[in-house]
Amino acid sequence: MGNKEHIFLTGFMGAGKTTVGQLLSRQLNIPVIDTDSYIEESFDKSIKAIFQEDGENIFRDYETNALQSLCGQTQKIITTGGGIVLRPENRQLMKEYGIVIFLYCDIEETTRRLATDQSRPLFKADFAANKKRFEARLPFYREADFTIETTKKPLDEIVNEIITCLE
């Protein structure tokens, strides 16, 4: 059984996981690590390149391995890729080793935020496709210990809400 010391931030692409994780890290003085960055460094390859060259299934394997490795480390704030919740074993690992916080941002807002981002292999300018992906993942995101609304909310307010949940 895990020691429940990690803080996992989950949510759809563009929900603010990376930014909020960095601010939370400064506030709580706990190191933050992003699973996507961890994978990119491990394989010396961008997420986009991994998707193109190896495919989504291989990327999802890398994601599970990264999560297992990070769970075994000292306390961290772990910001996750938007699709990490797709695998039951990932959701189980996060629940076992920490507190899971779902950053909820409505799909219209995430689409607006990501409009110029070329680094996300699953983001399409097609709103209907994004909405469908978001809605398919929503039940998994909702398994989190806490849900924080991030749509049009100031970052400091989001961070303070998370800190309140952790107390």
Side-chain angles (χ1 to χ4, degrees):
M1 194 59 182
N3 51 9
K4 285 270 187 197
E5 66 176 342
H6 297 295
I7 300 163
F8 296 96
L9 298 183
T10 66
F12 199 62
M13 299 174 269
K17 299 178 299 285
T18 303
T19 307
V20 169
Q22 290 164 348
L23 293 170
L24 193 61
S25 170
R26 273 184 238 135
Q27 199 79 16
L28 298 176
N29 203 22
I30 299 171
V32 63
I33 187 145
D34 181 76
T35 56
D36 284 353
S37 300
Y38 184 85
I39 292 165
E40 287 178 334
E41 287 166 24
S42 300
F43 294 93
D44 197 25
K45 211 188 248 193
S46 73
I47 298 300
K48 194 172 184 173
I50 293 169
F51 265 80
Q52 288 170 340
E53 296 165 25
D54 307 320
E56 184 175 355
N57 278 340
I58 296 293
F59 171 73
R60 298 292 171 209
D61 290 341
Y62 292 166
E63 211 169 38
T64 299
N65 293 340
L67 202 52
Q68 289 168 333
S69 172
L70 292 169
C71 283
Q73 296 179 14
T74 56
Q75 185 180 38
K76 300 222 177 353
I77 295 165
I78 300 171
T79 58
T80 62
I84 205 161
V85 296
L86 293 170
R87 288 195 171 173
E89 62 266 37
N90 293 346
R91 298 193 308 273
Q92 179 59 43
L93 272 168
M94 291 188 291
K95 280 278 196 196
E96 192 175 321
Y97 284 91
I99 293 168
V100 184
I101 298 169
F102 166 40
L103 300 184
Y104 175 88
C105 185
D106 73 41
I107 190 63
E108 291 77 13
E109 177 68 12
T110 59
T111 302
R112 189 188 61 72
R113 289 179 186 177
L114 297 175
T116 58
D117 190 333
Q118 300 300 309
S119 70
R120 297 166 193 270
L122 291 180
F123 180 77
K124 310 274 186 282
D126 174 0
F127 179 76
N130 289 330
K131 188 171 168 69
K132 187 176 176 189
R133 180 173 287 112
F134 175 73
E135 287 171 352
R137 292 176 180 179
L138 206 48
F140 302 131
Y141 291 138
R142 293 212 182 278
E143 290 178 19
D145 298 301
F146 300 100
T147 298
I148 305 288
E149 169 69 60
T150 68
T151 313
K152 296 190 179 10
K153 193 179 276 182
L155 287 165
D156 60 332
E157 201 177 310
I158 295 165
V159 171
N160 289 335
E161 278 186 49
I162 293 171
I163 291 169
T164 300
C165 289
L166 299 172
E167 288 170 346

